[in-house]
Amino acid sequence: MEFFLRNKKEFEISVLTLLAIVLILTFFISVYIGRYTITPSQLIMAVAGKITNVDYTLPDTADTILFKVRLPRIIAAILIGANLATAGAAYQGMFKNPMVSPDILGASHGAGFGAAVAILLSSGTAGIQMSSLLFGLGAVLLSYTISKIVGHGDNATLTMVLTGMVVSTMFSAFISMTKYVADTDEKLPAITFWLMGSLASITRKDVLILLIPTVLGMIPLLLLRWKLNVLAFGDEEAQAMGVDTKKVRSIIIFSSTLLVASSVSISGMIGWIGLIVPHIARQFVGPNYKHLLFASMLVGGSFLLIVDDVARNAFSAEIPLGILTALLGAPFFLYLLLKERRKAKWN
């Protein structure tokens, strides 16, 4: 038994190492490909020049594209993909439902409404990001507060899910209202494009801003990942094992919401990642959250980075990320439903 557990642990660590290598390889491939090709030698010289402060006389175009456009976009894709996937995995564990996505409590639609209002008011990039973040957090706080008022006992989790659906629908209606009153020449196209999700306008400043909520949201989830395993047994069993379920659930909700809202405020609404990536990660490391959160983080970063590479290189005009993730996510969701049906049939 001890030999089996040791081998299983070594296998899971090896898988995580392999996923990290895949992410690193995807990173370098993403740097090279694009409408302006960055050669490996140019990349090495550019990075070495920044570190040693030596001028290697790179073309100005290559230096600008690499450090002001491509690298910020690549890093943002990794961070956003990791955030959404990790939040999705945490929500699925907390709600004990593999069909749960990180916007179940209204974070994405709340953030979308905040951005739409800011665009309507011509608030600028910083105003859009701040408004999106605050409304995303506010939507989840509203869902959580209402569920605490009307929910009780064993129905508390179900009440929270239903309340989140209501709040999401409400903010979706607010977004439609904002689009209805927007100027059709400028504001409406800007709101529509933002809602479809894109990393085309990412800057180094955006990446630095995103790093703060990413760290603040990731650390609590990683520290509490073993308690997600305990929550899967139910509240009574978890409390019998000494877990303060209310406190843990509140921390998970806040941390996951921070990851989702901050990501949406930078990239717009990119769906399906938080739903499908945790399932892909489970195929690699199993359901144990000790490794599942790390796997979701790595797979999520690689997944969105690959999708963004396709978005910016497949056609002459860039494809919004939300369209591509939906085209990939919807068939996968159907596959999950069919898989659950077959499992229920055999049981």
Side-chain angles (χ1 to χ4, degrees), residues 170-222:
M170 181 180 68
F171 276 102
S172 179
F174 288 160
I175 292 174
S176 298
M177 187 184 303
T178 307
K179 292 166 70 175
Y180 179 75
V181 301
D183 173 31
T184 56
D185 294 328
E186 296 183 5
K187 304 297 184 182
L188 181 57
I191 293 173
T192 302
F193 183 77
W194 190 95
L195 292 173
M196 289 190 291
S198 175
L199 299 177
S201 58
I202 291 291
T203 64
R204 288 180 291 185
K205 182 180 178 181
D206 295 330
V207 174
L208 293 175
I209 292 173
L210 182 60
L211 277 173
I212 298 173
T214 296
V215 172
L216 293 177
M218 282 288 185
I219 290 177
L221 291 179
L222 294 177

Side-chain angles (χ1 to χ4, degrees), residues 224-244:
L224 294 174
R225 65 188 186 278
W226 70 270
K227 293 187 178 181
L228 283 166
N229 291 325
V230 179
L231 287 177
F233 295 110
D235 285 3
E236 292 184 2
E237 289 79 0
Q239 290 170 0
M241 298 176 68
V243 176
D244 187 343

Side-chain angles (χ1 to χ4, degrees), residues 63-124:
D63 187 78
T64 300
I65 289 177
L66 182 61
F67 289 105
K68 293 185 178 181
V69 179
R70 197 164 295 175
L71 281 179
R73 180 166 183 163
I74 290 171
I75 295 172
I78 294 173
L79 292 176
I80 292 169
N83 287 352
L84 296 176
T86 304
Y91 271 136
Q92 288 173 8
M94 186 184 70
F95 288 111
K96 296 172 288 187
N97 189 335
M99 300 301 178
V100 166
S101 63
D103 59 350
I104 191 171
L105 298 182
S108 294
H109 287 92
F113 172 67
V117 170
I119 294 172
L120 191 65
L121 299 176
S122 303
S123 299

